[in-house]
């Protein structure tokens, strides 16, 4: 999905949240619910990006960690940690995924005037993973391009479709240049 | 106007009828006098026409009218089933499919008219069948119950029904109408007499008085029988042997139902845990009742979803029929085990891969007639589709009696595609599996039907998505057999819950052979020994702790769960057996479906997610690991 | 002017099937979950026919038929029972209560439409 498709010119409601010391946002239309931290089942052999599964009202849902593709530092979850449950297109189908958040802020409206150009240099983040950067209450807020991040992960996974084992540990870096 | 859902019901019903019609027509090719098939084809046409009319598709109903008539004449023996008749009937079947597909296409009328004129030519003069028009009419005299109007009955609708059946004259008898001052306005005083065409049956006529039977006065004189006391002739023998009542349900409702049952099973597991914890006898008894009910409900729901594989074989017959013409090869399809049932999801997704395999067999597998004759085989190529149960799996095998796979050509192609090293010489079954690799095709010429190298890899992917496996066997000159091994159901299984390093996993119970203690001599991870001696047979084993990259060290008394798949057995070393449970299988998302160790996940009684181990994959892994060790040792 | 059929059944799925069938054939349909609700609906809407279940909470089919027949708006409106019961005694009671016909479930679309054609046209 392109930036334009995800963030056309109109103002939109987003949920802002904190992760790895940064403020991020997801489109409210993609958000299904916000959950308290739940028991996570480890998936042996899965990369760090999607290392676990959770139960969301009887559905088995993959839990993804945006800190991996966005190269953020990992801090242990605090009392404000939450799981955002999102509807996203995955491999051509709508799917439910969970993502970690260190804390959830609020639903706010971001208009075109609040959006800034994405600098091509100087950011720590792979530019193709960033849909837009905006301002919210004096902070920079990053809108990650979630479909792009997941698509990138899925395309990288095709080479990984064998049995996991000790060797799988070396494949946990998502970065594919 | 039809809303979308009703339209879907109509479509589903019509498609079912079209499919049944097609399979009856194709079967008639080999057995043109088979009474049951003729009746079946007639019934399909009749019902299809009726359904079309009921749902406002007059185009379908009127198109099918002449075909219904034609098969009615076949039924009464005045017309024979010929290849030409079957051919035009199949064309009609295709035309109905075209009519069913959304909006009627441009020129559909003309196509339909052409088919009808072909039929008319075959049937000679398109005269109406049935009783000769000059036979005398039925004569009916009747009075409806006096309270008809009070009950909301509408006498004029009864008269209309009789007209529909062919009533030529209807006269009211007013003799019993009282003078106005004594007339009760809601009481019915009229009687009627009617003459009805002889084409109507007695059942038809009596049926016109539906809901008026109580208190009905009816005297009925049959056609051409001047003596009113003579027994009325029976109409044509009713074709139906009262089949059990059926109800069509949209497939999504079944899926929803299965989801609900799945949730019920999970809730029931939670209840059982709680009951066991509290130990209250009353609560335990209720929990057991609920468990019994949930299990029965699960079985019922699953049985509703089970569909015989015969549901899709009709289209294969048609495919082979068409392929035979297109390729100029005489072909025959033999199907066995059509009654074998699989989950409907599996059946639906199986159709395309099987079509592809059949196409492949017809196009590449079977030699041209001349070559077959030269090899001393009958000219007609034979494709066999067989299905049978094997434990908790179903084996679907597609065989041909063609030339067999060409080892040299497949090998050369595999080397060319970089799938095989220049000097590699794998055993047959390993080599055959390469034909399922993407882009692999050895067809010398790309034909219209296959040989474009797309498809076989899709076949494999579909089967793997269904948690199935593919085996290929082939002998030079002796044909090829592709065997698909499929799980009976995708929805719920009995699972064995195990513990590995504090993490819980599920092994499908149907795959479990036995559970043995891991000998102390093998307890050490580095013991190097890859086999377990179980009653003097050597079974390779996998340490799940290592496979799952678990942390910590195992305690004493590790167990080995011995599982089988196909011909293979492998032992899985686990820390602890927790028990058995009903496992509702949830598919893994695309994020994890690439990890082959697991076939899915489930939700346990306490709400936690547990992964389900993929036994066929683990068995294959156990074999290849021990192969490697064997080679290293040699 | 399409004819309006009141459908009373406590099973939402049966009701849905009946309603879909009727609407597909050009009838208007109103739903009620039980006999009491059917009675309320029938006083506020003009209906051309009623299809009712026998066993329903609050007011069963027989109770509905008797009450409906006793009202002016219920005169001459055909009532057809669609029930799993096939007890002849019950059918007689239904007739005495003012029903014109009795159909036995399972529900068959073709049969239902045939009946409706003969009952309301």
């Amino acid at each position: 999905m392109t930036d334009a498709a995800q963030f056309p010119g109109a103002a939109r409601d987003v949920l802002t949240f904190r992760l790895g010391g940064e403020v991020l946002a997801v489109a409210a239309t993609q958000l299904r619910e916000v959950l308290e931290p739940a028991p996570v089942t480890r998936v042996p052999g899965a990369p760090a990006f999607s290392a676990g599964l959770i139960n969301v009202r009887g559905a088995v849902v993959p839990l993804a960690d945006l800190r991996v593709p966005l190269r953020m530092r990992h801090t242990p979850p605090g009392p404000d940690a939450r799981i955002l449950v999102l509807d996203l297109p995955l491999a051509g189908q709508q799917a439910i995924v969970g993502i970690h958040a260190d804390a959830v802020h609020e639903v706010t409206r971001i208009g075109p005037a609040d959006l800034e150009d994405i600098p091509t240099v100087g950011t720590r983040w792979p530019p193709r993973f960033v849909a837009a950067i905006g301002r919210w209450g004096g902070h920079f807020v990053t809108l990650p391009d979630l479909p792009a991040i997941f698509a990138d992960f899925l395309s990288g996974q095709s080479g990984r479709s064998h049995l996991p084992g000790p060797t799988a540990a070396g494949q946990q870096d998502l970065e594919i240049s | 106007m039809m809303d979308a859902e009703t339209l879907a019901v109509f479509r589903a019903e019509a498609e079912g009828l079209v499919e049944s019609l097609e399979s009856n027509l194709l079967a008639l090719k080999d057995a043109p006098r088979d009474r049951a098939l003729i009746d079946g084809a007639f019934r399909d046409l009749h019902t299809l026409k009726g359904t079309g009319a009921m749902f406002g598709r007059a185009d379908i109903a009127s198109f099918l009218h002449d075909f219904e008539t034609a098969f009615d004449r076949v039924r009464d023996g005045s017309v024979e089933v010929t290849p030409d008749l079957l051919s035009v009937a199949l064309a009609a079947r295709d035309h109905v499919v075209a009519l069913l597909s959304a909006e009627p296409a441009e020129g559909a009328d003309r196509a339909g008219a052409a088919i009808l004129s072909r039929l008319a030519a075959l049937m000679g003069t398109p005269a109406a069948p049935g009783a000769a028009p000059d036979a005398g009419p039925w004569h009916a005299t009747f009075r409806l119950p006096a309270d008809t109007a009070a009950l909301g009955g509408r006498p004029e609708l009864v008269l209309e029904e009789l007209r529909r059946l062919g009533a030529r004259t209807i006269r009211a008898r007013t003799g019993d109408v009282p003078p106005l001052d004594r007339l009760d306005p809601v009481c019915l005083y009229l009687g009627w007499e009617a003459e009805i065409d002889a084409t109507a049956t007695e059942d038809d006529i009596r049926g016109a008085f539906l809901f008026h039977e109580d208190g009905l006065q009816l005297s009925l004189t049959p056609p051409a029988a001047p003596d009113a006391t003579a027994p009325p002739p029976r109409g044509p023998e009713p074709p139906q042997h009262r089949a059990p009542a059926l109800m069509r349900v949209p497939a999504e409702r079944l899926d929803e139902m299965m989801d609900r049952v799945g949730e019920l099973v999970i809730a029931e597991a939670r209840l059982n845990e709680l009951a066991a914890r509290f130990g209250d006898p009353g609560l335990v008894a209720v929990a057991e009742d609920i468990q019994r009910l949930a299990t029965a409900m699960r079985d019922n729901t699953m049985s509703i979803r089970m569909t015989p594989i015969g549901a899709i074989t009709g289209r294969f017959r048609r495919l082979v029929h068409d392929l035979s013409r297109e390729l100029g090869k005489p072909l025959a399809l033999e199907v066995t085990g059509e009654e074998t049932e699989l989950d409907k999801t599996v059946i639906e997704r199986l159709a395309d891969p099987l079509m592809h395999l059949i196409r492949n067999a017809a196009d590449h597998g079977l030699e041209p007639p001349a070559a077959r004759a030269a090899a001393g085989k009958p000219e007609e190529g034979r494709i066999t589709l067989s299905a049978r149960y094997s434990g908790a799996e179903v084996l679907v095998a597609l065989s041909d009696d063609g030339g067999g796979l060409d080892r040299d050509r497949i090998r050369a192609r595999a080397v060319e595609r970089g799938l095989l090293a220049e000097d590699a010489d794998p055993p047959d079954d390993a080599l055959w599996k390469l034909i399922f690799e993407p882009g692999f095709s050895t067809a010398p010429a790309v034909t219209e039907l296959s040989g474009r190298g797309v498809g076989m890899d899709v076949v494999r992917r579909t089967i793997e998505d269904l948690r199935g496996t593919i085996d290929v066997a082939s002998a030079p000159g002796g044909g090829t057999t592709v065997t698909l091994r499929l799980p009976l159901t995708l929805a719920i299984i009995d699972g064995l819950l195990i513990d590995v390093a504090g993490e819980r996993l599920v092994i499908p119970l149907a795959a479990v052979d036995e559970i043995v203690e891991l000998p102390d001599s093998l307890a050490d991870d580095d013991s190097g020994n890859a086999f377990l001696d179980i009653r003097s047979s050597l079974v390779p084993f996998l340490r799940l702790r290592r496979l799952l990259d678990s942390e910590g060290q195992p305690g004493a008394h590790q167990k080995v769960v011995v599982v089988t798949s196909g011909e293979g057995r492998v032992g899985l070393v686990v820390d602890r057996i927790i028990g058995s449970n009903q496992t509702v299988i949830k598919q893994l998302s695309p994020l994890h479906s690439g990890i082959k160790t697991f076939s899915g996940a489930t939700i346990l009684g306490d709400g936690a997610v547990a992964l389900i181990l993929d036994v066929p994959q683990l068995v294959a892994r156990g074999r290849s690991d021990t192969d490697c060790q064997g080679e290293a040792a040699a | 002017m399409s004819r309006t059929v009141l459908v009373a059944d406590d099973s939402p799925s049966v009701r849905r099937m009946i309603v879909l069938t009727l609407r597909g054939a050009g009838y208007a349909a109103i739903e009620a979950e039980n006999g009491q609700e059917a009675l309320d609906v029938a006083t506020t809407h003009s209906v051309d026919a009623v299809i009712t279940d026998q066993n329903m909470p609050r007011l069963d089919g027989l109770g509905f038929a008797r009450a409906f027949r006793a009202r002016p708006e219920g005169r001459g409106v055909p009532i057809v029972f669609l029930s799993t019961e096939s007890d002849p005694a019950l059918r007689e009671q239904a007739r005495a209560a003012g029903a014109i016909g009795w159909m036995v479930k399972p529900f068959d679309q073709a049969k239902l439409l045939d009946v409706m054609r003969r009952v309301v046209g």
Side-chain angles (χ1 to χ4, degrees):
Chain A
M1 192 177 287
T2 64
D3 300 352
Q6 202 184 0
F7 294 107
R12 57 181 46 236
D13 290 329
V14 297
L15 176 79
T16 55
F17 62 97
R18 188 160 50 79
L19 183 68
E22 308 277 348
V23 179
L24 303 180
V26 293
T29 51
Q30 289 175 330
L31 184 72
R32 278 175 85 95
E33 55 187 315
V34 178
L35 298 179
E36 299 280 319
V40 179
T41 298
R42 182 180 72 99
V43 182
F49 172 61
S50 65
L53 296 171
I54 52 170
N55 169 4
V56 179
R57 301 182 200 294
V60 173
V61 170
L63 182 59
D65 190 345
L66 294 182
R67 285 173 292 209
V68 177
L70 297 178
R71 295 185 219 160
M72 294 168 156
R73 67 195 143 86
H74 191 106
T75 46
D80 296 329
R82 295 289 182 275
I83 293 169
L84 309 186
V85 182
L86 309 174
D87 270 322
L88 287 180
L90 270 194
Q93 287 183 342
Q94 264 329 99
I96 305 175
V97 299
I99 59 172
H100 287 285
D102 289 337
V104 169
H105 295 309
E106 63 171 7
V107 173
T108 184
R109 173 154 292 211
I110 292 193
D114 303 318
L115 295 179
E116 315 223 337
D117 286 341
I118 303 163
T120 48
V121 290
T123 56
R124 298 184 292 111
W125 299 335
R128 68 183 185 286
F129 289 163
V130 178
I133 293 176
R135 283 181 178 279
W136 167 74
H139 296 273
F140 279 110
V141 49
T142 303
L143 294 100
D145 189 341
L146 295 174
I149 290 171
F150 281 89
D152 209 74
F153 172 81
L154 284 171
S155 65
Q157 185 174 250
S158 55
R160 213 187 260 134
S161 61
H162 47 71
L163 288 159
T167 51
Q171 297 173 324
Q172 293 189 350
D173 194 348
L174 177 78
E175 269 319 296
I176 300 141
S177 46
Chain B
M1 209 46 242
M2 251 189 279
D3 66 85
E5 194 165 343
T6 313
L7 193 66
V9 169
F10 164 61
R11 281 248 172 81
E13 185 164 339
E15 278 160 15
L17 287 165
V18 162
E19 188 141 334
S20 163
L21 172 65
E22 178 175 42
S23 80
N24 278 323
L25 291 174
L26 289 166
L28 274 170
K29 202 172 76 157
D30 297 326
R33 286 163 192 278
D34 187 311
R35 191 76 218 161
L37 291 173
I38 293 168
D39 282 347
F42 172 78
R43 256 199 321 275
D44 294 333
L45 284 163
H46 176 79
T47 316
L48 201 49
K49 181 185 130 180
T51 314
M54 190 176 97
F55 282 93
R57 291 299 300 262
D59 53 341
I60 292 176
S62 71
F63 172 70
L64 285 176
H65 177 80
D66 288 353
F67 278 94
E68 186 194 0
T69 308
F71 273 83
D72 199 24
R73 288 175 65 187
V74 172
R75 259 177 5 136
D76 68 21
S78 59
V79 167
E80 292 268 313
V81 172
T82 61
D84 285 340
L85 178 60
L86 291 177
S87 186
V88 71
L90 280 171
R93 173 259 171 216
D94 291 349
H95 186 62
V96 170
V97 170
L99 290 175
L100 282 172
S101 68
E103 298 308 314
E106 192 71 23
D109 282 355
R110 240 175 306 123
I115 293 169
L116 288 177
S117 69
R118 268 172 73 196
L119 177 71
L122 282 177
M123 303 300 289
T125 50
D134 55 350
W138 290 89
H139 190 89
T141 310
F142 59 91
R143 290 194 60 152
L144 297 177
D147 63 353
T148 297
L151 295 178
R154 307 258 304 268
E156 76 273 24
L157 293 177
V158 175
L159 303 184
E160 206 168 282
E161 185 66 20
L162 289 172
R163 277 194 202 97
R164 219 176 55 86
L165 290 172
R168 296 179 204 167
T169 57
I170 299 179
R171 280 182 304 274
R173 288 152 59 120
T174 54
D176 293 336
V177 180
L180 204 53
D181 57 343
R182 275 187 283 140
L183 187 134
D184 176 353
V186 295
C187 188
L188 184 63
Y189 299 100
L190 290 176
W192 286 270
E193 53 190 299
E195 284 179 353
I196 305 157
D197 278 358
T199 46
T201 68
E202 184 181 350
D203 284 349
D204 288 342
I205 296 172
R206 293 196 181 275
F209 296 97
L210 176 82
F211 292 160
H212 302 292
E213 297 93 343
D214 298 341
L216 173 74
Q217 298 167 25
L218 170 67
S219 86
L220 198 55
T221 315
D227 182 1
T229 59
R234 305 299 307 174
E237 196 180 315
Q240 72 275 24
H241 316 281
R242 220 61 191 113
L246 296 177
M247 183 163 165
R248 269 177 190 279
V249 180
E252 308 86 71
R253 301 243 177 104
L254 281 184
D255 292 342
E256 277 168 29
M257 186 164 163
M258 199 68 220
D259 285 350
R260 292 294 97 73
V261 169
E263 285 167 31
L264 176 67
V265 164
I266 290 165
E268 175 262 313
R270 208 152 62 216
L271 176 64
N272 265 323
E273 273 190 18
L274 286 174
R277 198 182 317 152
F278 289 115
D280 178 278
L283 181 59
V284 169
V286 172
E288 279 172 1
D289 274 354
I290 299 226
Q291 180 174 33
R292 187 173 48 75
L293 291 168
T295 306
M297 179 126 179
R298 177 198 75 162
D299 292 348
N300 282 345
T301 310
M302 296 224 312
S303 76
I304 293 174
R305 291 169 57 94
M306 296 307 267
T307 309
I309 201 163
I312 53 170
T313 48
R315 65 184 87 160
F316 301 152
R317 288 183 209 281
R318 178 66 189 272
L319 175 69
V320 168
H321 175 91
D322 292 349
L323 283 172
S324 176
R325 289 193 164 186
E326 285 164 44
L327 296 169
K329 296 178 182 176
L331 299 176
L333 174 71
E334 189 185 325
V335 184
T336 63
E338 275 182 295
E339 68 289 347
T340 312
E341 291 186 328
L342 278 157
D343 190 280
K344 72 171 184 65
T345 321
V346 181
I347 292 271
E348 282 159 12
R349 296 186 54 190
L350 209 49
D352 282 349
L354 284 174
M355 299 264 257
H356 193 84
L357 291 173
I358 289 173
R359 218 172 251 147
N360 230 52
D363 203 9
H364 306 315
L366 293 167
E367 319 88 325
R372 290 181 64 86
K377 293 182 188 177
E379 284 199 358
E380 186 178 65
R382 181 158 288 272
I383 298 175
T384 309
L385 177 70
S386 72
R388 65 180 175 90
Y389 295 105
S390 163
E393 294 177 322
V394 167
L395 303 187
V396 180
L398 192 91
S399 316
D400 65 61
D401 66 347
L405 295 173
D406 185 335
R407 191 182 156 85
D408 292 340
R409 218 164 71 206
I410 290 174
R411 208 189 147 276
R413 179 70 175 171
V415 170
E416 184 192 320
R417 305 289 305 179
L419 299 167
L420 209 57
E422 199 78 56
D423 54 349
D425 189 22
D428 278 354
D429 55 343
L431 189 64
W432 303 152
K433 285 194 175 150
L434 295 177
I435 63 175
F436 294 103
E437 291 296 323
F440 191 97
S441 172
T442 63
V446 170
T447 68
E448 183 55 31
L449 298 166
S450 46
R452 268 164 298 196
V454 290
M456 286 304 249
D457 59 318
V458 178
V459 169
R460 184 179 67 181
R461 207 160 57 231
T462 310
I463 301 304
E464 284 179 353
D465 282 353
L466 293 171
R467 297 192 288 113
T469 56
I470 303 182
D471 287 317
V472 184
S474 183
T480 305
T481 298
V482 178
T483 305
L484 312 177
R485 187 179 285 278
L486 296 155
L488 274 178
T489 175
L490 295 176
I492 298 191
I493 55 166
D494 284 312
L496 182 72
L497 195 59
I498 54 148
D499 176 337
V500 178
E503 292 177 314
R504 287 172 294 175
L505 297 118
V506 175
I507 301 174
L509 202 55
V512 175
D513 255 3
E514 58 185 319
I515 299 169
V516 298
E517 198 91 11
L518 184 71
D520 285 344
S521 61
L522 297 175
D524 185 358
D525 199 357
D526 300 323
S527 65
N529 203 328
F531 288 97
L532 200 64
D533 185 351
I534 300 178
R535 291 186 302 276
S536 41
S537 91
L538 288 181
V539 178
F541 68 88
L542 297 170
R543 294 178 195 275
L544 289 187
R545 274 180 165 270
R546 192 191 288 177
L547 190 72
L548 303 177
D549 212 4
S550 306
E551 291 180 350
Q553 289 302 313
H557 313 299
Q558 292 178 81
K559 303 280 188 297
V560 184
V561 179
V562 181
V563 294
T564 61
S565 164
E567 304 302 308
R569 262 157 60 98
V570 69
L572 304 174
V573 181
V574 308
D575 286 4
R576 194 164 66 91
I577 307 289
I578 301 172
S580 66
N581 72 338
Q582 288 201 356
T583 301
V584 181
I585 302 176
K586 309 271 184 184
Q587 300 292 96
L588 292 176
S589 80
L591 289 179
H592 294 122
S593 56
I595 301 169
K596 297 296 183 195
T597 317
F598 310 110
S599 58
T602 189
I603 292 172
L604 301 176
D606 61 3
V609 175
L611 289 157
I612 303 169
L613 290 166
D614 188 334
V615 168
Q617 295 283 347
L618 292 175
V619 169
R621 164 120 182 185
R623 280 176 150 183
S624 66
D625 274 15
T626 47
D627 283 354
C628 291
Q629 294 197 6
E631 278 163 28
Chain C
M1 183 60 198
S2 72
R3 303 189 178 277
T4 303
V5 181
L6 170 60
V7 179
D9 199 309
D10 57 334
S11 154
S13 60
V14 172
R15 219 162 54 222
R16 176 108 185 107
M17 280 306 287
I18 298 174
V19 166
L20 282 173
T21 306
L22 291 175
R23 291 194 183 138
Y27 296 95
I30 317 175
E31 300 176 52
E33 282 178 26
N34 55 57
Q36 187 56 52
E37 199 180 302
L39 214 47
D40 297 344
V41 169
T43 52
T44 54
H45 294 70
S46 153
V47 301
D48 297 295
V50 181
I51 297 173
T52 182
D53 190 16
Q54 161 57 8
N55 296 314
M56 293 183 290
R58 291 183 66 193
L59 184 64
D60 66 12
L62 285 175
F64 162 78
R66 289 189 194 104
F68 188 49
R69 278 279 174 261
R71 298 186 180 194
E73 61 270 17
R75 267 184 219 147
V77 176
I79 302 170
V80 177
F81 275 75
L82 177 61
S83 170
T84 47
E85 307 261 359
S86 58
D87 179 6
L90 209 52
R91 290 177 181 222
E92 261 170 49
Q93 284 182 46
R95 182 137 192 127
I100 186 158
W102 187 286
M103 297 174 69
V104 179
K105 288 178 190 171
F107 161 73
D108 175 332
Q109 288 194 311
K111 175 97 177 129
L112 178 72
L113 288 181
D114 185 43
V115 164
M116 293 319 289
R117 188 169 53 80
R118 275 110 146 318
V119 169
V120 288

